[in-house]
């Protein structure tokens, strides 16, 4: 089965996007991040449902390898994880 | 009743006795002090402010007094007490008025969490739209703010911009504008009609003086106003007035960094700031001449 990503289940994310950047508020940590718009859009997509990286890259309009690299930043921040369900 | 309706000796007597309760925008501050040097600048700069009822609610109870130590006789000092506790290290006695101003700023920034509080000036153009000027010390924020006020812009605040999370509007404090160092003489020449307190030298911020708020702005202190522009000003010698677009994401983070309680407010802080960014235009602004700066501000386009 192809690997899917999801928002880490304990988190609530609030996003606001302007031009090429998005502000992200993470609850309950209270951290705020500024993200490139494509990552913000990916998070919005993941908020709706778990997704494969190919689908996220397609939405962002970026090559898969480049987008996968950028997505790893969200994983390192603990915002997303592999959907194990 | 306004503070200026008290005779000077009566003001000094009330300060030393039960205190005076001054209304500055949404807050009532009860100020008590038997230090004689406090009454004259208070009378000079706060004469147009309404006094609140002695029996009513006061948001902040502050006392400025001399420490009970040998310094009482040698190198006299002043202490700022909030609700009975000394909040800061004592300062030289001649800094009693700046200490009151700094202390009142602290009272608001540390307690008024019904607002998102940003370290920024806020001034409104004749059409009622507000420019918010966040900036670190030395950027020329207060000089620009005083310059705009001297040319008809309404002062909402020089130091603390109060954003109402429920409406997104800016509430006014309209307390004196704090000028530092070279700005003091710059404003004396540029706007001689503005009333300035005597300069106090050798403070932690250098030489400081305060500018009295125009009485019309104090009368409108209860009118919140709609923010339209976030402008990050920077004074730079010999530069032309130049306004350039500032990324909204970076403006968001810049304002969050300059906020006293963004983290305290949590989700509400994020939502309030995001709404502000949604509804305003964000700029960097470099200037050297006040006339050019004010001309630029007068022509700021209304956000769509």
């Amino acid at each position: 089965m192809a690997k899917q990503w999801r928002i880490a289940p304990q988190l609530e994310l609030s996003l606001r996007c302007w031009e090429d950047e998005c502000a992200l508020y993470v609850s309950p940590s209270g951290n705020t991040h500024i993200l490139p718009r494509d990552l913000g859009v990916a998070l919005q997509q993941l908020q709706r449902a778990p997704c494969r990286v190919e689908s996220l890259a397609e939405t962002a309009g970026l090559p898969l390898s480049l987008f996968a690299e950028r997505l790893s930043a969200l994983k390192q921040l603990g915002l997303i994880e592999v959907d194990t369900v | 009743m306004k503070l200026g309706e008290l005779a000077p000796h009566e003001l000094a007597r009330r300060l030393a006795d039960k205190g005076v309760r001054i209304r500055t925008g949404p807050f009532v501050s009860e100020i008590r002090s038997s230090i004689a040097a406090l009454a004259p600048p208070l009378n000079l700069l706060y004469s147009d402010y309404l006094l609140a009822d002695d029996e009513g609610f006061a948001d902040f109870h502050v006392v400025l007094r001399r420490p009970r130590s040998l310094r009482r006789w040698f190198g006299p000092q002043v202490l700022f007490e909030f609700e009975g506790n000394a909040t800061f290290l004592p300062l030289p006695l001649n800094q009693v008025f700046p200490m009151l101003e700094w202390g009142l700023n602290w009272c608001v920034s540390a307690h008024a969490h019904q607002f998102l509080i940003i370290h920024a000036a806020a001034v409104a153009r004749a059409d009622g739209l507000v420019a918010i000027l966040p900036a670190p010390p030395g950027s020329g924020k207060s000089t620009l703010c005083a310059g705009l006020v001297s040319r008809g812009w309404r002062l909402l605040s020089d130091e603390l911009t109060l954003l109402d999370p429920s409406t997104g509007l800016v509430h006014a404090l309209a307390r004196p504008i704090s000028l530092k160092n070279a700005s003091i003489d710059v404003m004396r020449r540029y706007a001689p009609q503005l009333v300035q307190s005597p300069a106090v030298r050798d403070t932690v911020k250098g030489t400081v003086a305060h500018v009295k708020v125009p009485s019309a702005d104090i009368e409108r202190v209860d009118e919140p106003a709609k923010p339209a522009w976030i402008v990050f000003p920077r004074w730079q010698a010999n530069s032309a007035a130049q306004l350039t677009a500032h990324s909204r994401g970076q403006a968001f983070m810049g304002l969050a960094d300059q906020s006293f309680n963004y983290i305290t407010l949590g989700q509400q802080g994020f939502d309030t700031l995001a709404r502000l960014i949604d509804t305003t235009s964000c700029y960097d602004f470099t200037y050297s001449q006040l006339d050019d700066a004010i001309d630029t501000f007068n022509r700021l386009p209304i956000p769509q």
Side-chain angles (χ1 to χ4, degrees), chain B residues 226-248:
Chain B
K226 182 175 165 37
W229 310 282
I230 313 293
V231 185
F232 293 85
R234 187 163 63 93
W235 184 88
Q236 187 176 316
N238 304 317
S239 70
Q242 190 174 14
L243 199 63
T244 51
H246 188 107
S247 123
R248 287 171 186 254

Side-chain angles (χ1 to χ4, degrees), chain B residues 16-275:
Chain B
D17 183 17
K18 59 186 177 185
V20 291
R21 292 183 164 204
I22 304 177
R23 280 202 60 213
T24 51
F27 309 112
V28 172
S29 302
E30 182 187 88
I31 301 162
R32 290 174 55 209
S33 181
S34 56
I35 295 171
L38 182 61
L42 205 58
N43 196 34
L44 179 71
L45 298 177
Y46 279 90
S47 59
D48 292 329
Y49 293 78
L50 288 172
L51 295 179
D53 182 0
D54 286 341
E55 307 306 320
F57 178 80
D59 297 87
F60 313 122
H61 298 81
V62 306
V63 175
L64 290 123
R65 67 169 182 82
R66 296 174 67 170
R68 297 181 187 91
S69 68
L70 285 177
R71 294 297 293 263
R72 192 172 178 79
W73 314 109
F74 173 73
Q77 294 180 313
V78 54
L79 266 178
F80 180 92
E81 288 183 346
F82 172 78
E83 308 291 354
N85 296 306
T87 328
F88 308 103
L89 293 172
L91 294 177
L93 187 60
N94 70 326
Q95 297 180 24
V96 60
F97 185 75
M99 190 175 214
L100 171 65
E101 287 297 309
W102 299 333
L104 290 178
N105 285 342
W106 174 82
C107 288
V108 173
S109 61
H111 299 94
H113 301 313
Q114 66 270 44
F115 298 105
L116 178 66
I117 307 170
I118 299 167
H119 181 208
V123 283
R125 203 164 63 181
D127 58 9
L129 296 174
V130 173
I132 295 174
L133 282 61
S139 58
K141 164 181 69 76
S142 292
T143 314
L144 179 56
C145 174
L148 288 162
V149 168
S150 77
R151 298 300 187 266
W153 284 59
R154 173 189 165 207
L155 179 77
L156 286 94
S157 182
D158 167 47
E159 282 287 321
L160 304 173
T161 293
L162 307 176
L163 274 173
D164 184 335
S166 62
T167 64
L169 299 177
V170 179
H171 284 244
L173 269 175
R175 293 214 346 261
I177 301 170
S178 172
L179 296 177
K180 293 180 275 297
N181 303 317
S183 298
I184 297 168
D185 283 337
V186 167
M187 286 315 300
R188 281 203 180 111
R189 288 192 299 272
Y190 188 75
Q193 78 277 18
L194 292 181
V195 175
Q196 269 194 34
S197 67
V200 178
R201 300 182 194 289
D202 300 323
T203 78
V204 289
K205 301 184 181 190
T207 300
V208 298
H210 288 82
V211 172
K212 184 178 183 180
V213 180
S215 56
D217 297 356
I218 297 168
E219 284 172 17
R220 297 178 64 188
V221 75
D222 291 330
E223 292 177 30
K226 182 175 165 37
W229 310 282
I230 313 293
V231 185
F232 293 85
R234 187 163 63 93
W235 184 88
Q236 187 176 316
N238 304 317
S239 70
Q242 190 174 14
L243 199 63
T244 51
H246 188 107
S247 123
R248 287 171 186 254
Q250 295 307 314
F252 182 100
M253 288 309 278
L255 290 170
D257 283 346
Q258 291 291 318
S259 170
F260 291 95
N261 60 350
Y262 172 79
I263 291 171
T264 304
L265 294 186
Q267 179 79 49
Q268 189 181 44
F270 176 86
D271 292 340
T272 305
L273 208 47
R275 178 181 185 174

Side-chain angles (χ1 to χ4, degrees), chain A residues 12-27 30-34, chain B residues 246-250 252-253 256 262-263 265-268 270-271 273-275 277-278:
Chain A
E12 282 187 33
L13 307 184
S14 297
L15 273 157
R16 199 69 70 96
C17 295
W18 307 281
E19 292 100 32
D20 53 358
E21 290 172 315
C22 297
L24 168 68
Y25 181 78
V26 185
S27 183
N31 291 332
T32 302
H33 306 278
I34 293 293
Chain B
H246 188 107
S247 123
R248 287 171 186 254
Q250 295 307 314
F252 182 100
M253 288 309 278
Y262 172 79
I263 291 171
L265 294 186
Q267 179 79 49
Q268 189 181 44
F270 176 86
D271 292 340
L273 208 47
R275 178 181 185 174
I277 297 292
D278 279 342

Side-chain angles (χ1 to χ4, degrees), chain A residues 47-77:
Chain A
Q47 282 180 308
R48 291 191 287 272
C51 278
R52 293 169 54 201
V53 67
E54 291 82 357
S55 168
L56 296 168
E58 188 181 332
T59 303
L62 288 175
L64 180 59
S65 58
L66 176 60
F67 190 79
E69 195 177 307
R70 297 180 77 158
L71 203 64
S72 69
L74 298 182
K75 182 173 179 291
Q76 284 172 5
L77 288 169

